[in-house]
Amino acid sequence: MKPEGQMVWPAARVLSQYIVDQPELVQTRTVLELGAGTGLLGLVAAKLSPCPRKVVLTDNNMTTLDMMEANIEENFPTQTTIPRCAHLHWGENLDKFLSDHGKFDVILGADVILWTQYIRPLFKTVKNLLSQTETAMFLLCYQCRYTELKDKVYEAAKEVNLLGKEIQIQENATFSELEDKTKDTLHLIKFCHQFVNKCETNAVCSTI
């Protein structure tokens, strides 16, 4: 069996489809993928961007980073401008990461919170690396494998002044292909800074 970081999980496929359906979310914008694993989300964003170098794929596992670099080379074999790959341990050395890469308009994460102890470091990282603009967003797609996970996600977001909106994914083509038991636990949430309070037509505001 492959390690978790070397598999493409349903959440990554659904979020990738969401980006493909709405390419304006990542086109011309700086994009960061957290816990990238195979790098699917970042690679999709880079393919949709006229400047793939604006996309940075990150992970904490060095073996996984090597795999990501190989996937980047495979998907961008002739381009002179390609997405970047970087080591990132959530909640640690964020000032150095900011100095090297700056802040990001869009942050992506898919199935990156299997355990509750990762949630607060994740949101601390997002808060520090997300651009301070009204259009900046963190898109998180994950399977809620146990009851208290969703509440803890919103609690951690609130602690760093991020507001979450559940995005309806029933019409997502990839979502429709999943098994019902997976569909029942899958969530796609858009997090924005506290000063953003408008609900989009395709999202439902969540009470925190």
Side-chain angles (χ1 to χ4, degrees):
M1 183 176 179
K2 292 182 180 179
E4 292 171 352
Q6 298 179 26
M7 298 177 64
V8 177
W9 296 90
R13 293 169 51 209
V14 168
L15 183 47
S16 294
Q17 183 67 57
Y18 182 74
I19 296 169
V20 169
D21 292 341
Q22 301 185 78
E24 68 280 0
L25 293 176
V26 296
Q27 287 174 329
T28 73
R29 309 184 79 189
T30 52
V31 180
L32 172 68
E33 183 180 3
L34 298 176
T38 63
L40 176 61
L41 297 177
L43 291 171
V44 170
K47 285 290 186 180
L48 294 171
S49 173
C51 183
R53 186 168 174 76
K54 289 186 175 183
V55 179
V56 179
L57 292 70
T58 65
D59 205 281
N60 183 42
N61 183 285
M62 300 309 295
T63 300
T64 301
L65 286 170
D66 290 341
M67 178 185 62
M68 274 195 290
E69 289 181 348
N71 287 342
I72 289 172
E73 293 177 5
E74 179 73 21
N75 284 274
F76 293 84
T78 59
Q79 289 91 326
T80 56
T81 301
I82 62 174
R84 292 169 286 162
C85 187
H87 177 268
L88 178 60
H89 192 293
W90 299 344
E92 297 184 8
N93 300 316
L94 297 180
D95 289 342
K96 176 66 165 59
F97 191 88
L98 275 170
S99 176
D100 291 342
H101 301 285
K103 294 201 173 190
F104 296 85
D105 303 316
V106 180
I107 297 179
L108 306 172
D111 239 342
V112 292
I113 47 172
L114 296 177
W115 309 108
T116 56
Q117 63 264 34
Y118 299 143
I119 298 175
R120 280 187 171 82
L122 169 65
F123 277 93
K124 177 183 178 181
T125 301
V126 171
K127 181 64 174 182
N128 279 269
L129 301 183
L130 189 63
S131 299
Q132 291 288 324
T133 65
E134 292 189 357
T135 57
M137 68 183 72
F138 170 41
L139 292 172
L140 174 66
C141 192
Y142 71 101
Q143 283 185 254
C144 192
R145 294 179 173 87
Y146 40 96
T147 307
E148 68 271 22
L149 184 60
K150 188 174 181 180
D151 288 340
K152 290 187 178 297
V153 166
Y154 280 110
E155 288 171 6
K158 184 178 181 179
E159 289 176 2
V160 295
N161 296 315
L162 293 175
L163 292 175
K165 304 171 186 177
E166 186 98 17
I167 296 174
Q168 302 303 317
I169 52 177
Q170 284 74 15
E171 295 185 5
N172 182 295
T174 300
F175 177 82
S176 66
E177 297 172 356
L178 300 176
E179 297 180 0
D180 288 342
K181 62 180 180 180
T182 300
K183 291 179 181 178
D184 292 341
T185 61
L186 203 64
H187 297 275
L188 175 55
I189 304 173
K190 173 184 174 181
F191 292 94
C192 299
H193 292 294
Q194 190 90 4
F195 53 74
V196 180
N197 56 19
K198 294 181 180 180
C199 295
E200 297 181 355
T201 55
N202 67 337
V204 176
C205 282
S206 298
T207 301
I208 300 178

PDB file of all heavy atoms in Angstrom, residues 133-149:
ATOM      1  N   THR A 133      -6.192  40.458   1.400  1.00  0.00           N
ATOM      2  CA  THR A 133      -7.094  41.081   0.438  1.00  0.00           C
ATOM      3  C   THR A 133      -8.476  40.458   0.550  1.00  0.00           C
ATOM      4  O   THR A 133      -8.631  39.352   1.078  1.00  0.00           O
ATOM      5  CB  THR A 133      -6.585  40.904  -1.008  1.00  0.00           C
ATOM      6  OG1 THR A 133      -6.604  39.498  -1.335  1.00  0.00           O
ATOM      7  CG2 THR A 133      -5.170  41.436  -1.163  1.00  0.00           C
ATOM      8  N   GLU A 134      -9.472  41.145   0.051  1.00  0.00           N
ATOM      9  CA  GLU A 134     -10.843  40.638   0.126  1.00  0.00           C
ATOM     10  C   GLU A 134     -11.066  39.422  -0.752  1.00  0.00           C
ATOM     11  O   GLU A 134     -11.992  38.649  -0.512  1.00  0.00           O
ATOM     12  CB  GLU A 134     -11.829  41.755  -0.250  1.00  0.00           C
ATOM     13  CG  GLU A 134     -11.899  42.882   0.752  1.00  0.00           C
ATOM     14  CD  GLU A 134     -13.016  43.850   0.462  1.00  0.00           C
ATOM     15  OE1 GLU A 134     -13.711  43.663  -0.577  1.00  0.00           O
ATOM     16  OE2 GLU A 134     -13.223  44.783   1.250  1.00  0.00           O
ATOM     17  N   THR A 135     -10.245  39.251  -1.774  1.00  0.00           N
ATOM     18  CA  THR A 135     -10.422  38.121  -2.688  1.00  0.00           C
ATOM     19  C   THR A 135      -9.543  36.926  -2.331  1.00  0.00           C
ATOM     20  O   THR A 135      -9.653  35.875  -2.964  1.00  0.00           O
ATOM     21  CB  THR A 135     -10.124  38.549  -4.136  1.00  0.00           C
ATOM     22  OG1 THR A 135      -8.795  39.084  -4.197  1.00  0.00           O
ATOM     23  CG2 THR A 135     -11.127  39.593  -4.611  1.00  0.00           C
ATOM     24  N   ALA A 136      -8.687  37.067  -1.331  1.00  0.00           N
ATOM     25  CA  ALA A 136      -7.832  35.953  -0.917  1.00  0.00           C
ATOM     26  C   ALA A 136      -8.683  34.849  -0.306  1.00  0.00           C
ATOM     27  O   ALA A 136      -9.675  35.117   0.372  1.00  0.00           O
ATOM     28  CB  ALA A 136      -6.791  36.437   0.089  1.00  0.00           C
ATOM     29  N   MET A 137      -8.298  33.598  -0.545  1.00  0.00           N
ATOM     30  CA  MET A 137      -9.112  32.483  -0.053  1.00  0.00           C
ATOM     31  C   MET A 137      -8.272  31.247   0.220  1.00  0.00           C
ATOM     32  O   MET A 137      -7.230  31.024  -0.404  1.00  0.00           O
ATOM     33  CB  MET A 137     -10.200  32.125  -1.067  1.00  0.00           C
ATOM     34  CG  MET A 137      -9.683  31.524  -2.364  1.00  0.00           C
ATOM     35  SD  MET A 137     -11.005  31.211  -3.572  1.00  0.00           S
ATOM     36  CE  MET A 137     -11.376  32.897  -4.062  1.00  0.00           C
ATOM     37  N   PHE A 138      -8.744  30.462   1.166  1.00  0.00           N
ATOM     38  CA  PHE A 138      -8.195  29.132   1.446  1.00  0.00           C
ATOM     39  C   PHE A 138      -9.292  28.133   1.131  1.00  0.00           C
ATOM     40  O   PHE A 138     -10.366  28.143   1.747  1.00  0.00           O
ATOM     41  CB  PHE A 138      -7.778  29.039   2.910  1.00  0.00           C
ATOM     42  CG  PHE A 138      -7.430  27.647   3.382  1.00  0.00           C
ATOM     43  CD1 PHE A 138      -6.708  26.771   2.589  1.00  0.00           C
ATOM     44  CD2 PHE A 138      -7.826  27.217   4.650  1.00  0.00           C
ATOM     45  CE1 PHE A 138      -6.381  25.488   3.026  1.00  0.00           C
ATOM     46  CE2 PHE A 138      -7.506  25.941   5.105  1.00  0.00           C
ATOM     47  CZ  PHE A 138      -6.784  25.073   4.291  1.00  0.00           C
ATOM     48  N   LEU A 139      -9.057  27.268   0.155  1.00  0.00           N
ATOM     49  CA  LEU A 139     -10.015  26.241  -0.229  1.00  0.00           C
ATOM     50  C   LEU A 139      -9.573  24.917   0.391  1.00  0.00           C
ATOM     51  O   LEU A 139      -8.504  24.401   0.077  1.00  0.00           O
ATOM     52  CB  LEU A 139     -10.093  26.121  -1.748  1.00  0.00           C
ATOM     53  CG  LEU A 139     -10.700  27.328  -2.485  1.00  0.00           C
ATOM     54  CD1 LEU A 139     -10.547  27.171  -3.994  1.00  0.00           C
ATOM     55  CD2 LEU A 139     -12.172  27.504  -2.121  1.00  0.00           C
ATOM     56  N   LEU A 140     -10.424  24.394   1.261  1.00  0.00           N
ATOM     57  CA  LEU A 140     -10.119  23.156   1.987  1.00  0.00           C
ATOM     58  C   LEU A 140     -11.164  22.104   1.648  1.00  0.00           C
ATOM     59  O   LEU A 140     -12.362  22.310   1.854  1.00  0.00           O
ATOM     60  CB  LEU A 140     -10.125  23.421   3.490  1.00  0.00           C
ATOM     61  CG  LEU A 140      -9.974  22.200   4.404  1.00  0.00           C
ATOM     62  CD1 LEU A 140      -8.597  21.580   4.243  1.00  0.00           C
ATOM     63  CD2 LEU A 140     -10.223  22.581   5.859  1.00  0.00           C
ATOM     64  N   CYS A 141     -10.715  20.982   1.123  1.00  0.00           N
ATOM     65  CA  CYS A 141     -11.611  19.867   0.835  1.00  0.00           C
ATOM     66  C   CYS A 141     -11.124  18.655   1.627  1.00  0.00           C
ATOM     67  O   CYS A 141      -9.941  18.310   1.584  1.00  0.00           O
ATOM     68  CB  CYS A 141     -11.621  19.555  -0.666  1.00  0.00           C
ATOM     69  SG  CYS A 141     -12.954  18.436  -1.178  1.00  0.00           S
ATOM     70  N   TYR A 142     -12.030  18.031   2.370  1.00  0.00           N
ATOM     71  CA  TYR A 142     -11.615  16.915   3.223  1.00  0.00           C
ATOM     72  C   TYR A 142     -12.790  15.987   3.512  1.00  0.00           C
ATOM     73  O   TYR A 142     -13.957  16.369   3.366  1.00  0.00           O
ATOM     74  CB  TYR A 142     -11.033  17.431   4.539  1.00  0.00           C
ATOM     75  CG  TYR A 142     -12.062  18.041   5.472  1.00  0.00           C
ATOM     76  CD1 TYR A 142     -12.565  17.324   6.553  1.00  0.00           C
ATOM     77  CD2 TYR A 142     -12.537  19.326   5.264  1.00  0.00           C
ATOM     78  CE1 TYR A 142     -13.516  17.875   7.404  1.00  0.00           C
ATOM     79  CE2 TYR A 142     -13.478  19.888   6.102  1.00  0.00           C
ATOM     80  CZ  TYR A 142     -13.966  19.167   7.174  1.00  0.00           C
ATOM     81  OH  TYR A 142     -14.916  19.717   8.005  1.00  0.00           O
ATOM     82  N   GLN A 143     -12.456  14.782   3.907  1.00  0.00           N
ATOM     83  CA  GLN A 143     -13.461  13.827   4.368  1.00  0.00           C
ATOM     84  C   GLN A 143     -13.568  13.928   5.883  1.00  0.00           C
ATOM     85  O   GLN A 143     -12.567  13.836   6.591  1.00  0.00           O
ATOM     86  CB  GLN A 143     -13.083  12.408   3.966  1.00  0.00           C
ATOM     87  CG  GLN A 143     -13.356  12.098   2.503  1.00  0.00           C
ATOM     88  CD  GLN A 143     -13.071  10.647   2.173  1.00  0.00           C
ATOM     89  OE1 GLN A 143     -12.084  10.333   1.538  1.00  0.00           O
ATOM     90  NE2 GLN A 143     -13.944   9.770   2.630  1.00  0.00           N
ATOM     91  N   CYS A 144     -14.795  14.111   6.363  1.00  0.00           N
ATOM     92  CA  CYS A 144     -15.031  14.211   7.802  1.00  0.00           C
ATOM     93  C   CYS A 144     -15.208  12.792   8.339  1.00  0.00           C
ATOM     94  O   CYS A 144     -16.299  12.235   8.339  1.00  0.00           O
ATOM     95  CB  CYS A 144     -16.268  15.063   8.083  1.00  0.00           C
ATOM     96  SG  CYS A 144     -16.461  15.522   9.794  1.00  0.00           S
ATOM     97  N   ARG A 145     -14.105  12.211   8.796  1.00  0.00           N
ATOM     98  CA  ARG A 145     -14.093  10.806   9.168  1.00  0.00           C
ATOM     99  C   ARG A 145     -14.586  10.538  10.590  1.00  0.00           C
ATOM    100  O   ARG A 145     -14.804   9.403  10.961  1.00  0.00           O
ATOM    101  CB  ARG A 145     -12.687  10.235   8.971  1.00  0.00           C
ATOM    102  CG  ARG A 145     -12.273  10.213   7.492  1.00  0.00           C
ATOM    103  CD  ARG A 145     -10.866   9.671   7.335  1.00  0.00           C
ATOM    104  NE  ARG A 145     -10.530   9.484   5.927  1.00  0.00           N
ATOM    105  CZ  ARG A 145     -10.023  10.421   5.145  1.00  0.00           C
ATOM    106  NH1 ARG A 145      -9.821  11.629   5.634  1.00  0.00           N
ATOM    107  NH2 ARG A 145      -9.736  10.169   3.876  1.00  0.00           N
ATOM    108  N   TYR A 146     -14.687  11.597  11.390  1.00  0.00           N
ATOM    109  CA  TYR A 146     -15.288  11.441  12.716  1.00  0.00           C
ATOM    110  C   TYR A 146     -15.999  12.731  13.090  1.00  0.00           C
ATOM    111  O   TYR A 146     -15.641  13.823  12.625  1.00  0.00           O
ATOM    112  CB  TYR A 146     -14.256  11.039  13.771  1.00  0.00           C
ATOM    113  CG  TYR A 146     -12.922  11.710  13.664  1.00  0.00           C
ATOM    114  CD1 TYR A 146     -12.620  12.841  14.408  1.00  0.00           C
ATOM    115  CD2 TYR A 146     -11.943  11.192  12.812  1.00  0.00           C
ATOM    116  CE1 TYR A 146     -11.387  13.452  14.321  1.00  0.00           C
ATOM    117  CE2 TYR A 146     -10.709  11.798  12.727  1.00  0.00           C
ATOM    118  CZ  TYR A 146     -10.436  12.930  13.474  1.00  0.00           C
ATOM    119  OH  TYR A 146      -9.213  13.529  13.365  1.00  0.00           O
ATOM    120  N   THR A 147     -17.027  12.611  13.934  1.00  0.00           N
ATOM    121  CA  THR A 147     -18.016  13.649  14.153  1.00  0.00           C
ATOM    122  C   THR A 147     -17.440  14.998  14.532  1.00  0.00           C
ATOM    123  O   THR A 147     -17.839  16.032  13.986  1.00  0.00           O
ATOM    124  CB  THR A 147     -19.013  13.205  15.245  1.00  0.00           C
ATOM    125  OG1 THR A 147     -19.548  11.936  14.893  1.00  0.00           O
ATOM    126  CG2 THR A 147     -20.136  14.208  15.367  1.00  0.00           C
ATOM    127  N   GLU A 148     -16.483  15.037  15.452  1.00  0.00           N
ATOM    128  CA  GLU A 148     -16.019  16.317  15.984  1.00  0.00           C
ATOM    129  C   GLU A 148     -15.064  17.059  15.056  1.00  0.00           C
ATOM    130  O   GLU A 148     -14.701  18.209  15.319  1.00  0.00           O
ATOM    131  CB  GLU A 148     -15.346  16.116  17.345  1.00  0.00           C
ATOM    132  CG  GLU A 148     -14.033  15.356  17.314  1.00  0.00           C
ATOM    133  CD  GLU A 148     -14.207  13.852  17.434  1.00  0.00           C
ATOM    134  OE1 GLU A 148     -15.308  13.364  17.139  1.00  0.00           O
ATOM    135  OE2 GLU A 148     -13.243  13.181  17.834  1.00  0.00           O
ATOM    136  N   LEU A 149     -14.645  16.438  13.953  1.00  0.00           N
ATOM    137  CA  LEU A 149     -13.636  17.044  13.093  1.00  0.00           C
ATOM    138  C   LEU A 149     -14.109  18.369  12.500  1.00  0.00           C
ATOM    139  O   LEU A 149     -13.386  19.369  12.525  1.00  0.00           O
ATOM    140  CB  LEU A 149     -13.241  16.078  11.984  1.00  0.00           C
ATOM    141  CG  LEU A 149     -12.111  16.549  11.058  1.00  0.00           C
ATOM    142  CD1 LEU A 149     -10.837  16.798  11.853  1.00  0.00           C
ATOM    143  CD2 LEU A 149     -11.848  15.526   9.966  1.00  0.00           C
TER     144      LEU A 149
END
